[in-house]
Amino acid sequence: TGGAGSGKSVCFIYKAPYDWAHGDLWPQFVFVFCLELRDKSVWKAETFAELMDFKSLGLETKEEHEDAMDFIRSHPEQVLVIWDGLDEAEVDESSLAWKLMNRKCVGMPVTVRQIVTSRPCKPANTLSKTAVCIQRHVEVMGFTEDNVEAFAKMYLSSE
C-alpha cells in the first residue's frame, strides 16, 4: 500500500518490470505480467491468455498460448503477476481476474507469485476478501527528491 503519488505504480508497473526485462531484477521469474485493475478489460477477460495479453508478448497462435500455459502450469513459481490499483478497481467477484487474485482459479496453480498494490484507504471489506492470499504487507513511503530526479533521468531521457 501507499498513498496517492507515493510511487506504487512507478515502482511495480514501470521500473521493476523494466529492470526484470533487462536482467537486473527477479531472475527467478520467466514471466512477469503487469495488470492495471482500473482497466475494465482485466475484469472482462475470459481466458488466462486474454487476461495476461499473451499477444503483447508476441504469442500469437493458439499453439503458442498452449505452450505458455503448459509452462505456467508446470513452473508456477517462475511466474509473477502484478495487480496494480486494487483501490481503483470495479471488482467483479465472478471474473477470472478476481479468482486468480484470490487463488481460486480452476486449472491454475496456487503458487503463482503475486503483488497487489492499493492505496490504504480502500474499504476494508474489499481488501479483506483478498486477505487470504496476502502474505506480506509493505507500505511504499515514496521517493526522495534525488531518487525522483535519478529515475527521471535514467528512464525518461531520449538518450
Side-chain angles (χ1 to χ4, degrees):
T1 62
S6 65
K8 299 175 302 297
S9 295
V10 169
C11 179
F12 290 108
I13 294 297
Y14 300 106
K15 185 178 183 327
Y18 177 89
D19 288 348
W20 168 78
H22 287 87
D24 297 328
L25 186 66
W26 301 327
Q28 70 272 33
F29 297 117
V30 173
F31 285 110
V32 174
F33 298 103
C34 302
L35 301 167
E36 296 188 61
L37 293 172
R38 68 179 158 268
D39 181 351
K40 293 183 188 306
S41 68
V42 167
W43 302 103
K44 293 178 182 175
E46 295 181 8
T47 67
F48 190 82
E50 186 182 329
L51 177 63
M52 299 304 162
D53 194 12
F54 279 3
K55 288 184 179 183
S56 71
L57 300 175
L59 305 174
E60 297 288 335
T61 68
K62 184 176 180 178
E63 182 178 285
E64 290 171 324
H65 290 191
E66 289 171 3
D67 289 346
M69 285 305 303
D70 287 345
F71 179 86
I72 291 167
R73 285 188 190 100
S74 300
H75 306 285
E77 71 286 351
Q78 294 180 22
V79 178
L80 174 64
V81 180
I82 302 172
W83 306 93
D84 184 48
L86 180 59
D87 58 295
E88 300 176 74
E90 293 181 28
V91 173
D92 176 354
E93 293 180 38
S94 66
S95 70
L96 176 63
W98 188 254
K99 291 173 185 170
L100 181 61
M101 189 185 306
N102 284 281
R103 304 183 186 275
K104 295 178 180 172
C105 190
V106 175
M108 285 304 301
V110 296
T111 54
V112 167
R113 305 294 190 255
Q114 301 185 70
I115 295 174
V116 181
T117 72
S118 178
R119 293 180 190 149
C121 60
K122 184 66 182 173
N125 64 342
T126 301
L127 289 180
S128 68
K129 291 176 185 174
T130 60
V132 68
C133 68
I134 296 174
Q135 296 174 337
R136 183 172 297 130
H137 179 267
V138 177
E139 184 172 354
V140 175
M141 301 301 289
F143 295 103
T144 65
E145 285 187 36
D146 290 342
N147 288 352
V148 170
E149 186 175 337
F151 176 81
K153 284 179 181 176
M154 184 179 295
Y155 294 100
L156 302 177
S157 71
S158 60
E159 300 177 316

